[in-house]
């Protein structure tokens, strides 16, 4: 039986070790150019081009057909999408799953609304892998991931909310608070999948310390953690050091954000997905 794992590209994964995986690309769009968030994208070059670009920029979610392509004729498709509260990606993914099952009797497809994005989606994909490995049925796997996602979380530190505000994903009032030199917003994905601002921190070191404090308050006790960042090795290393000082055996991975998250988290943004 062929099993396919899928996610939209806000999960920042081009591949998934040990799984047959495909990503449905989101796009970053300006009046001059379209950046497709797939393995051909040079994210660093995109950020630097956008820094110099004065016009409007926005994003677009994958269409139903983009998801269907990822499904790859598999007997069982299991996927996860960025929060339906900020993007249409979940809706197109859900429609793709319905259409797929209608057109292919006997085949199963499910896309989970992560109510989050980035590294928290990564954790959900790894949970699918674990449950598949255990030989559970489609329904059991779906229920297992829904249950698991109650104890996964996403926190982030952002230097700028400009692109989020310009595209209507946070209020201009919140966005205005940052952009002031040296101020960072520490926030989380809320329980309804929106961006929730928690703290304003002066300086990156304080922001990262605050994230770790929040993680512990949220119930982090050395479970899995996935850190993803927009070219900010220093902050990512600081956060992993804090985690590893308390939990030296923590299952922890650090990697770069790709196009969509780079665009919204902006340069130096850091995101962490973790288990409580
Ligand atoms: O459909 C589209 O065009 C995509 C829109 C995505 C908007 C939000 C992306 C957020 C990326 C920023 C920090 C984390 C915020 C988490 C809130 C749940 C990353």
């Amino acid at each position: 039986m062929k099993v396919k794992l899928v996610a939209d590209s806000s999960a920042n994964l081009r591949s998934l070790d040990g799984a047959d995986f495909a990503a449905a690309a989101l796009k970053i769009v300006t009046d001059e150019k379209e950046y497709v968030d797939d393995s051909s994208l040079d994210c660093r070059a995109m950020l630097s081009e956008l820094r110099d670009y004065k016009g409007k920029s926005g994003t677009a979610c994958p269409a139903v057909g983009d998801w269907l392509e990822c499904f790859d004729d598999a007997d069982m498709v299991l996927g996860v999408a960025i929060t339906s509260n900020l993007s249409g990606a979940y809706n197109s993914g859900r429609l793709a799953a319905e259409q797929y099952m209608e057109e292919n009797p006997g085949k199963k497809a499910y896309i989970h609304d992560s109510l989050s994005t980035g590294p928290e989606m990564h954790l959900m994909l790894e949970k699918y892998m674990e449950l598949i490995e255990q030989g559970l049925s489609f329904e059991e796997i779906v229920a297992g991931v829904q249950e698991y996602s109650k104890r996964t979380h996403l926190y982030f530190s952002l230097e700028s909310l400009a692109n989020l505000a310009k595209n209507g994903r946070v209020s201009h009032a919140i966005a205005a608070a940052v952009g002031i030199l040296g101020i960072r917003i520490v926030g989380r994905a809320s329980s309804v999948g929106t961006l929730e601002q928690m703290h304003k921190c002066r300086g990156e070191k304080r922001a990262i310390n605050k994230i770790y404090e929040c993680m512990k308050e949220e119930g982090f006790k050395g479970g899995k953690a996935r850190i993803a960042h927009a070219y900010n090795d220093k902050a990512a290393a600081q956060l992993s050091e804090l985690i590893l000082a308390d939990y030296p055996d923590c299952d922890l991975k650090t990697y770069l954000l790709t196009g969509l998250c780079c665009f919204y988290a902006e340069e130096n943004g850091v995101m962490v997905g973790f288990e409580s």
Side-chain angles (χ1 to χ4, degrees):
M1 190 181 65
K2 178 166 160 169
V3 182
K4 192 91 191 182
L5 290 188
V6 299
D8 63 67
S9 65
S10 75
N12 307 295
L13 301 168
R14 305 301 189 206
S15 62
L16 191 58
D17 261 2
D20 187 352
F21 171 79
L26 286 120
K27 289 172 188 155
I28 296 90
V29 198
T30 70
D31 294 335
E32 280 162 18
K33 204 166 163 175
E34 187 176 271
Y35 303 88
V36 180
D37 188 12
D38 64 17
S39 52
S40 66
L41 179 67
D42 180 342
C43 300
R44 192 148 224 180
M46 178 189 83
L47 283 180
S48 109
E49 282 172 29
L50 289 175
R51 214 181 293 131
D52 300 332
Y53 177 71
K54 299 280 173 276
K56 276 198 180 133
S57 52
T59 56
C61 69
V64 173
D66 299 322
W67 281 105
L68 285 171
E69 252 172 59
C70 294
F71 293 2
D72 200 14
D73 231 14
D75 303 292
M76 182 154 90
V77 177
L78 295 161
V80 57
I82 181 171
T83 169
S84 59
N85 246 312
L86 297 180
S87 169
Y90 166 69
N91 198 45
S92 58
R94 183 181 58 80
L95 291 173
E98 276 169 20
Q99 187 181 327
Y100 191 73
M101 288 193 283
E102 241 169 66
E103 289 173 358
N104 301 280
K107 296 192 173 183
K108 301 274 195 190
Y110 171 72
I111 304 294
H112 184 62
D113 181 357
S114 68
L115 296 177
S116 181
T117 185
E120 190 178 353
M121 286 167 70
H122 189 182
L123 292 174
M124 293 171 193
L125 289 163
E126 290 179 331
K127 179 53 83 177
Y128 277 133
M129 289 175 70
E130 213 180 291
L131 300 175
I132 293 165
E133 187 70 39
Q134 289 172 20
L136 300 184
S137 69
F138 175 79
E139 288 74 18
E140 288 168 327
I141 295 171
V142 166
V145 160
Q146 286 170 345
E147 197 53 37
Y148 175 66
S149 62
K150 292 179 189 160
R151 52 181 196 91
T152 58
H153 312 268
L154 179 79
Y155 272 78
F156 47 83
S157 158
L158 304 177
E159 233 177 65
S160 163
L161 301 184
N163 285 339
L164 281 162
K166 277 186 217 156
N167 287 284
R169 262 77 187 190
V170 296
S171 76
H172 285 281
I174 291 185
V178 260
I180 302 165
L181 207 65
I183 298 292
R184 274 150 188 87
I185 290 286
V186 168
R188 68 175 172 195
S190 74
S191 56
V192 291
T194 51
L195 185 149
E196 183 179 1
Q197 179 201 325
M198 309 282 291
H199 304 279
K200 269 180 236 166
C201 299
R202 193 169 294 277
E204 185 159 81
K205 194 156 191 261
R206 287 205 184 98
I208 298 297
N209 284 335
K210 183 54 86 180
I211 287 189
Y212 189 52
E213 227 174 77
C214 293
M215 284 172 69
K216 287 186 287 189
E217 274 165 28
E218 199 78 64
F220 177 74
K221 291 196 176 66
K224 278 185 174 183
R226 301 285 176 263
I227 301 171
H229 62 95
Y231 306 98
N232 193 343
D233 289 308
K234 195 170 161 230
Q238 191 198 326
L239 183 55
S240 37
E241 275 160 28
L242 288 170
I243 295 172
L244 292 172
D246 286 343
Y247 303 101
D249 298 325
C250 178
D251 175 352
L252 170 68
K253 287 189 181 122
T254 300
Y255 48 90
L256 287 171
L257 293 169
T258 70
L260 191 276
C261 284
C262 266
F263 175 75
Y264 283 111
E266 302 195 39
E267 210 150 6
N268 292 324
V270 179
M271 300 166 74
V272 58
F274 63 94
E275 298 176 345
S276 59

